[in-house]
Amino acid sequence: MRIHFPQPLLGCLPLLIPSLLLADANLSSPIAGYVADPSQPVLRTISGVPGAYLFSDPIPLPDGVTRIHLAPGPDYALIESGDAAPAVLFLSAGAVDHVAPLPGAMPAADWVAFSASGRAAVLFSSSAQRLQLLTGLPAAPQLALDLDASTFPEQPLSAALSDDGSLLLIASRNSVYRLSPGGPPQLLLSVGRIVSLAVLRNGAGVAVSDASTASIHLLRNLDSTLDIRVLVSGLSGIGRLYPATDGATLFVARPAAKAVLAVDLASGDIQTFPTSTAPVQLVPLRNRDTFLISAKPGQPGSVFWRDGNAGRFVFIPAIIQEVVQ
């Protein structure tokens, strides 16, 4: 069968054919993960294999979506739609599978923090002065806590939590507090300037990065006699933290040094993996210990993963918006 193009369209074929090939590649290639635009409701897949990753065209979303909070691990996101109740957006094979409601969840949050495997989340709103804990995500979400944030000693800027929601911490610029249903926030740590905090796998402790001392503090025995120690120091330009799936290692981004570190939680030994771009984030993708470390809208991206004792990095080309005249 021959396909006949109108004469005015023939001059556009060099522009159209790469776009068609890219669309076909996105549909047939494996899905490495997803990336959400922080400034607008745009969601894309990262498709292909290491060394040949591509950003897809935007995934069609339900009408009215205003914001996307992409979860780590499972293929889902929390979506906001103006004043309507938020919902769980389930993804499959690079497309929206279905949407499920989130009963009781507030419609708009300043920020959302997920547990390491994405099975629990914290929502915070400064205008509503509310903090909510959701557990059982994504299939059976429950509103486990709904707290009046006006009673907190300081306004939280971030949070970290265990997958079952039993360990919940909030952080201001300088302090880390533990929250519980039956009492006031419990102060655990005060430092110069908190950059990131992460609950370790299985709720075994908490890691906190402090920019003022260029160090990482490790908090253990949170249910008994609290043990606080400096895990590593001398890490100027420290950034995001994320617990490795082995439960024994902590990944650390150092944007200023253009490196990702793997820190042994027992010994404090450090493996340094130099990068060609600043790792400004550690967004987990679908494969084990694989992270999107850079992906500004309209710019190339970069992926890091640990392969045994080696660190691997691959480049994702930017999306080129071509105009057909």
Side-chain angles (χ1 to χ4, degrees), residues 54-55 296-301 315-321:
L54 292 171
F55 292 122
K296 292 183 178 180
Q299 296 185 17
F315 173 84
I316 310 175
I319 298 169
I320 299 175
Q321 302 292 337

Side-chain angles (χ1 to χ4, degrees), residues 166-211:
S166 62
L167 178 58
L168 170 59
L169 302 106
I170 56 172
S172 64
R173 178 180 171 86
N174 309 108
S175 302
V176 177
Y177 298 87
R178 182 174 184 176
L179 299 182
S180 60
Q186 176 191 0
L187 178 63
L188 300 181
L189 178 71
S190 290
V191 294
R193 182 167 69 85
I194 295 170
V195 177
S196 180
L197 71 162
V199 170
L200 306 180
R201 300 287 175 170
N202 302 317
V206 181
V208 181
S209 58
D210 176 18

Side-chain angles (χ1 to χ4, degrees), residues 85-273:
V88 181
L89 182 82
F90 289 85
L91 300 162
S92 178
V96 174
D97 185 83
H98 66 283
V99 177
L102 273 175
M106 55 188 163
D110 293 353
W111 50 259
V112 173
F114 291 92
S115 63
S117 298
R119 295 199 291 270
V122 171
L123 289 69
F124 174 75
S125 169
S126 58
S127 60
Q129 283 295 292
R130 294 172 71 190
L131 184 142
Q132 294 183 327
L133 169 65
L134 300 174
T135 58
L137 292 168
Q142 299 181 36
L143 184 60
L145 280 179
D146 192 344
L147 300 177
D148 179 2
S150 67
T151 64
F152 295 172
E154 302 176 77
Q155 179 167 302
L157 302 177
S158 60
L161 63 162
S162 59
D163 278 324
D164 63 2
S166 62
L167 178 58
L168 170 59
L169 302 106
I170 56 172
S172 64
R173 178 180 171 86
N174 309 108
S175 302
V176 177
Y177 298 87
R178 182 174 184 176
L179 299 182
S180 60
Q186 176 191 0
L187 178 63
L188 300 181
L189 178 71
S190 290
V191 294
R193 182 167 69 85
I194 295 170
V195 177
S196 180
L197 71 162
V199 170
L200 306 180
R201 300 287 175 170
N202 302 317
V206 181
V208 181
S209 58
D210 176 18
S212 65
T213 59
S215 59
I216 297 174
H217 302 267
L218 193 61
L219 287 66
R220 293 191 183 271
N221 299 330
L222 274 71
D223 292 322
S224 55
T225 303
L226 181 63
D227 175 36
I228 303 176
R229 65 182 177 92
V230 174
L231 177 64
V232 289
S233 58
L235 302 180
S236 59
I238 195 170
R240 302 292 299 174
L241 308 177
Y242 211 89
T245 52
D246 63 9
T249 309
L250 182 70
F251 290 111
V252 182
R254 288 189 70 191
K258 288 190 175 181
V260 173
L261 314 181
V263 181
D264 187 284
L265 290 168
S267 66
D269 291 343
I270 299 174
Q271 283 184 291
T272 300
F273 306 113

Side-chain angles (χ1 to χ4, degrees), residues 7-140:
Q7 189 66 29
L9 193 58
L10 291 177
C12 300
L13 284 178
L15 297 179
L16 290 173
I17 289 175
S19 298
L20 293 173
L21 292 175
L22 178 59
D24 181 68
N26 287 336
L27 290 174
S28 59
S29 299
I31 303 299
Y34 299 86
V35 57
D37 190 321
S39 61
Q40 57 184 333
V42 174
L43 183 65
R44 303 177 188 271
T45 64
I46 301 171
S47 61
V49 295
Y53 284 138
L54 292 171
F55 292 122
S56 76
D57 292 333
I59 298 172
L61 299 173
D63 291 341
V65 174
T66 55
R67 197 173 180 192
I68 302 168
H69 303 283
L70 187 61
D75 293 350
Y76 84 93
L78 302 185
I79 55 173
E80 298 176 5
S81 302
D83 294 330
V88 181
L89 182 82
F90 289 85
L91 300 162
S92 178
V96 174
D97 185 83
H98 66 283
V99 177
L102 273 175
M106 55 188 163
D110 293 353
W111 50 259
V112 173
F114 291 92
S115 63
S117 298
R119 295 199 291 270
V122 171
L123 289 69
F124 174 75
S125 169
S126 58
S127 60
Q129 283 295 292
R130 294 172 71 190
L131 184 142
Q132 294 183 327
L133 169 65
L134 300 174
T135 58
L137 292 168

